[in-house]
């Protein structure tokens, strides 16, 4: 399972980078085309799709590497046991919200499956809306793994044998 997860993480990073590079390239291409009086309106729409996917993938990468912004001014002043309790509550709230996002995101993708993306024929709007539940699922996996590591560090659950 850990090899599969390692490949998933590498694939996620490659996809996130590709989506962000494609987004910038499409916006640049659209600008150059507009400058040449031959606008390509679809470039901005496709860049928006890549932006949605890139944002969720990059959010998971940042969450996994503890690079998300946080404000711990009040929590840092609490006793150690209270800090642990706040951390567990945060993980529970984040997990509940991500489960909600997965559920509603799948519903949204299903409802929007017949709608074309920005009028581009043959491309369903579901390709954009699926970024929400897929990104939330990846974030949920990361959150559960973070919670498990925290519980192991606190000695509340045993470590898995190597």
């Amino acid at each position: 399972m850990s090899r599969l997860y390692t490949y998933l993480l590498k694939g996620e990073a490659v996809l996130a980078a590709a989506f962000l590079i494609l987004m910038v390239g499409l916006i640049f291409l659209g600008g150059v085309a507009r400058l040449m009086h031959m606008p390509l309106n679809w470039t901005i729409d496709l860049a928006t799709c890549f932006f949605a996917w890139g944002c969720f993938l990059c959010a998971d990468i940042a969450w996994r590497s503890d690079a998300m912004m946080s404000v711990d001014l009040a929590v840092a002043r609490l006793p150690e046991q209270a800090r642990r309790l706040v951390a567990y509550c945060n993980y529970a709230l984040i997990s509940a919200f991500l489960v909600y996002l997965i559920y509603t995101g799948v519903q949204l993708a299903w409802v929007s499956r017949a709608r074309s993306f920005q009028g581009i024929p043959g491309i369903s709007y579901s390709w954009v809306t699926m970024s929400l539940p897929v990104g939330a699922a990846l974030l949920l996996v990361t959150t559960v793994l973070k919670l498990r590591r925290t519980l192991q560090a606190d000695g509340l659950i045993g470590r898995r044998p190597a």
Side-chain angles (χ1 to χ4, degrees), residues 53 104 106 142:
W53 278 94
T104 56
V106 168
T142 301

Side-chain angles (χ1 to χ4, degrees), residues 5 22 24 39 42 109 146 151:
Y5 186 65
L22 285 169
V24 170
W42 57 268
K146 283 173 146 309
L151 289 170

Side-chain angles (χ1 to χ4, degrees), residues 26-45:
L26 284 169
I27 291 171
F28 181 75
L29 176 67
V32 169
R34 190 172 302 266
L35 188 64
M36 296 172 52
H37 303 288
M38 298 175 62
L40 300 172
N41 295 330
W42 57 268
T43 58
I44 300 300
D45 299 329

Side-chain angles (χ1 to χ4, degrees), residues 17 23 39 42-43 48 73 86 89-91 94 101 104 112 115:
M23 178 192 69
W42 57 268
T43 58
T48 303
L73 183 65
V86 169
C89 289
N90 280 341
Y91 287 138
I94 290 168
L101 284 181
T104 56
S112 62
R115 177 181 168 198

